[in-house]
Amino acid sequence: MTEGCYDALVIGAGPAGGTTALLLARAGWSVAVLERKEFPRRKVCGEYLSATNLPLIDHLGLGELFREQGGPPVTHAGLFAGEYIVTAPLPQPGSEPGRGLAREKLDTMLLRRAAEAGGSVWQPHTAIGLLRDGLGYRVRAEHLHTRAVVELRARIVILAHGSWDVGDLPSQRDRTQRQASDLLAFKTHYRGGSFNPALMPLMALPGGYGGTAYCESNRFSLSFCIRRDMLGAVRARHSGMSAGEAVANHAQEHCRGLREGLVGAKQDGPWLAAGPIRPGIRLRMGHGVFPVGNWAGEPHPATAEGISIAMQSAWLLARRLIAWRNAGGYWDDLAPVGESYARAWRRWFAPRIRTGAVIAQWLVRPTPVAALMPLLRSFPRLLTLGARFTGKATDMLRERTKALP
């Protein structure tokens, strides 16, 4: 049964999907959002938004709420490896540092504003079919609890689902093969502790890496990525623990900074797990089907740029789609929209993702880490330089002042 016809259908209501839906709805589009989970929900994520994303947050009309509900400003980066603790200032592209915000707040905030702008929210619904239908698409969606199926039609489909989602869409697949090098992700929250709230440390540990970020004034996330083969060894060594607990113990064994930071901390919520994560560039598009967020391309979490890139990719696409419709919205003109979006996406994000891959490969190898840490301790500003290469000094909204290619 067809329930509605829309200008655009967004599949996934994370930071990329919520941002896309909000921007299009505010521009007068009829927008539907399919989200398979009920909100608010916790999610495996570092929960940090860099300073480059603050102009976009303000443009979305969420600046005041973001600053009110988020963590304290983050002014410094850190690197914990063995007994080493190295810190350095983060680059500041504007007058205000970045900060963290819990995903259960950020995602809910974006989706609520999209609905207030006129968007239709189908939640909890899972997309189970995507078919071309003339000058548009038909999408079948199933309710999480009742299993009732609805059919939605839209001229444009925007894929904003996670890169590790398993499902029935052409952009999703059933991953049955496991590899030793798969990166699995874990995350929980703590309250209290001894970390400096203005510091965002990255932790190197054998076979993986981790990080923390304050998402409220006295609450921070602790997250890790670890290779599948190392996870097996860690769980064997820490039998009787959950996977997340075992990884946290493994990290404390190899990071003095983490041990000291967790002094006085109390866990707030369970360990969450996800993966294997799929860093890399995809940008697979069809005529009228556009990827944003992690499905377009995903940085290694080591860069702490995942949310920022997701939201900024939504900005790049929405800006082009709005210009396309203002110029007449002809179906045959969608191919140049995709080409322009792909060029801009690669220009803004590909260098960040490639830099992150190099950093992540270094972090998981104890010997190269041990060799480089004395140099970083002597020249901590190298951390600032690394943060700059991952995009933390890139003024994304400069794109607004330029003519579209």
Side-chain angles (χ1 to χ4, degrees):
M1 177 180 177
T2 302
E3 294 288 345
C5 297
Y6 301 92
D7 296 323
L9 174 65
V10 182
I11 300 177
T19 300
T20 308
L22 175 53
L23 288 169
L24 293 180
R26 281 197 345 192
W29 288 46
S30 60
V31 180
V33 184
L34 283 179
E35 170 53 48
R36 64 189 182 93
K37 296 289 187 180
E38 295 174 315
F39 284 3
R41 58 95 168 86
R42 292 183 174 183
K43 192 171 179 67
V44 178
C45 175
E47 301 186 320
Y48 171 75
L49 289 87
S50 66
T52 63
N53 221 47
L54 296 181
L56 178 53
I57 293 285
D58 288 331
H59 176 72
L60 294 172
L62 297 170
E64 182 178 351
L65 192 59
F66 172 74
R67 292 169 179 84
E68 174 187 308
Q69 297 192 7
V74 178
T75 59
H76 285 69
L79 181 59
F80 299 166
E83 295 300 305
Y84 288 98
I85 297 177
V86 180
T87 65
L90 280 168
Q92 298 298 340
S95 60
E96 184 180 0
R99 61 182 73 205
L101 179 66
R103 284 292 299 274
E104 60 264 32
K105 293 184 178 180
L106 175 64
D107 294 5
T108 302
M109 181 189 304
L110 285 166
L111 187 58
R112 181 180 296 127
R113 287 298 175 89
E116 291 171 354
S120 298
V121 177
W122 295 82
Q123 185 184 38
H125 278 80
T126 300
I128 59 173
L130 172 63
L131 294 173
R132 178 77 174 265
D133 183 22
L135 303 183
Y137 291 88
R138 286 186 292 119
V139 176
R140 297 176 69 243
E142 182 181 74
H143 192 278
L144 176 66
H145 303 302
T146 67
R147 302 301 178 189
V149 175
V150 297
E151 186 176 86
L152 309 176
R153 293 174 182 263
R155 294 194 71 196
I156 305 292
V157 173
I158 296 156
L159 301 175
H161 56 71
S163 62
W164 56 64
D165 284 353
V166 175
D168 301 312
L169 299 180
S171 55
Q172 298 169 324
R173 57 187 179 185
D174 184 9
R175 294 178 297 281
T176 56
Q177 292 185 339
R178 296 185 174 187
Q179 299 182 5
S181 60
D182 287 342
L183 279 176
L184 304 176
F186 299 90
K187 174 253 190 90
T188 191
H189 286 107
Y190 283 87
R191 291 191 181 273
S194 304
F195 286 112
N196 177 359
L199 175 69
M200 185 175 62
L202 182 61
M203 306 163 200
L205 50 140
Y209 56 83
T212 69
Y214 274 80
C215 54
E216 295 177 22
S217 60
N218 194 39
R219 180 172 176 249
F220 63 89
S221 64
L222 176 62
S223 52
F224 298 103
C225 288
I226 189 166
R227 285 174 54 108
R228 189 186 296 276
D229 52 359
M230 179 58 72
L231 177 61
V234 168
R235 297 203 70 180
R237 195 168 69 249
H238 297 281
S239 60
M241 295 183 179
S242 70
E245 291 171 329
V247 173
N249 275 271
H250 173 63
Q252 290 185 69
E253 292 169 356
H254 295 279
C255 291
R256 174 171 67 93
L258 177 58
R259 293 194 300 271
E260 294 178 355
L262 288 177
V263 172
K266 183 177 180 180
Q267 190 171 341
D268 179 28
W271 279 99
L272 306 178
I277 67 171
R278 301 180 60 204
I281 299 170
R282 285 171 281 274
L283 274 182
R284 301 176 188 136
M285 284 178 275
H287 196 91
V289 178
F290 302 93
V292 292
N294 281 356
W295 185 243
E298 182 175 3
H300 273 272
T303 64
E305 282 291 297
I307 299 177
S308 294
I309 288 179
M311 295 182 67
Q312 291 166 16
S313 69
W315 157 265
L316 288 180
L317 178 60
R319 185 165 181 259
R320 284 158 174 79
L321 288 175
I322 292 167
W324 163 78
R325 192 166 102 158
N326 290 342
Y330 299 110
W331 179 256
D332 291 342
D333 293 338
L334 275 174
V337 173
E339 293 165 2
S340 172
Y341 170 58
R343 286 194 300 270
W345 194 100
R346 291 183 182 278
R347 182 172 70 248
W348 286 102
F349 308 132
R352 302 191 211 180
I353 290 178
R354 294 185 181 118
T355 299
V358 172
I359 293 172
Q361 290 300 316
W362 173 72
L363 285 169
V364 302
R365 292 173 165 81
T367 300
V369 169
L372 194 55
M373 288 308 296
L375 176 64
L376 290 174
R377 182 175 61 181
S378 299
F379 301 98
R381 287 280 179 165
L382 289 173
L383 291 183
T384 306
L385 183 62
R388 183 175 294 274
F389 283 141
T390 63
K392 291 182 175 56
T394 304
D395 183 2
M396 181 65 200
L397 289 202
R398 284 184 304 176
E399 167 86 9
R400 186 203 290 185
T401 65
K402 298 179 180 179
L404 293 175

